[in-house]
Amino acid sequence: MLITHDARCALDTVVDLVNTVPEDDSAPDGLPDVTALQEFVGTHEISDVGALSGLDLSAVRKIRGQFAAVFAAPDALAAAGLINDLVAAAGTTPRLTDHDGYDWHIHYFAPGASVADHLAADCGMALAFFVVAGEQERLRRCEAPDCRRAFVDLSRNRSRRYCDSRTCGNRLHVAAYRARRKEAAG
């Protein structure tokens, strides 16, 4: 599957956005305030975003939950319905642009769109391409029992199971190794 630079940036953004959702009631929100949203926008180099407010934060949190539902969707039909709702509500307006030193690419958000509509349109379309390509199962959650972070499996054979093989994957492999050693020792 060919993934353009813009789509890859949108995928990274939507994964990071979904992963700001608190895991449970005791975990802190990854987007606690407008300052955190501004940092998120800056880190992900989201273009055409003006001054942010509490209304923007509320709207981004709302679509964040909708994106999380896409990663939890049981099948392509459910994912497609969720993505269609996100993209339709954003009022997409595809247009070609070549800003900030990047070659020609497509923005799906309307000029002057809010940050929430911007994210819903661009990230929604990036996820839509996975559904269209029959690759919805690549939108996953980490299989480590104490981690449910979202990720996009871009491995060749669709075999990635953990959000990060160096942390979650390695931790589980070490635990399994130790359990086998303990069992063998008797």
Side-chain angles (χ1 to χ4, degrees):
M1 178 174 184
L2 175 66
I3 300 174
T4 64
H5 171 74
D6 323 349
R8 181 57 195 251
C9 290
L11 290 171
D12 291 344
T13 300
V14 73
V15 164
D16 288 348
L17 180 62
V18 167
N19 288 333
T20 66
V21 174
E23 290 289 321
D24 56 41
D25 292 336
S26 65
D29 191 309
L31 286 177
D33 52 34
V34 174
T35 301
L37 179 59
Q38 288 170 328
E39 289 173 12
F40 183 88
V41 166
T43 299
H44 292 87
E45 298 178 354
I46 300 170
S47 61
D48 296 333
V49 174
L52 299 173
S53 69
L55 293 175
D56 291 309
L57 179 62
S58 296
V60 169
R61 284 179 174 167
K62 180 181 177 187
I63 64 158
R64 173 182 72 175
Q66 293 171 291
F67 279 127
V70 172
F71 280 83
D75 54 38
L77 182 62
L82 294 164
I83 293 168
N84 283 341
D85 290 346
L86 273 161
V87 172
T92 57
T93 307
R95 61 191 167 95
L96 289 168
T97 184
D98 67 341
H99 63 88
D100 297 330
Y102 293 107
D103 204 1
W104 288 104
H105 58 282
I106 300 172
H107 281 186
Y108 293 96
F109 59 94
S114 70
V115 67
D117 286 345
H118 179 138
L119 291 168
D122 274 0
C123 296
M125 289 304 299
L127 295 176
F129 292 127
F130 275 80
V131 174
V132 167
E135 301 285 351
Q136 182 259 334
E137 75 277 359
R138 289 183 182 267
L139 308 177
R140 297 191 175 161
R141 292 288 188 158
C142 184
E143 291 183 20
D146 59 341
C147 180
R148 296 299 302 150
R149 291 177 60 83
F151 68 94
V152 178
D153 179 2
L154 298 177
S155 67
R156 180 176 273 179
N157 61 358
R158 299 173 191 88
S159 63
R160 189 169 158 199
R161 298 174 50 205
Y162 306 109
C163 63
D164 186 346
S165 61
R166 288 172 291 184
T167 54
C168 290
N170 193 41
R171 188 177 68 247
L172 287 175
H173 289 115
V174 168
Y177 170 77
R178 288 180 179 157
R180 287 191 307 272
R181 296 270 313 220
K182 183 177 180 180
E183 186 178 306

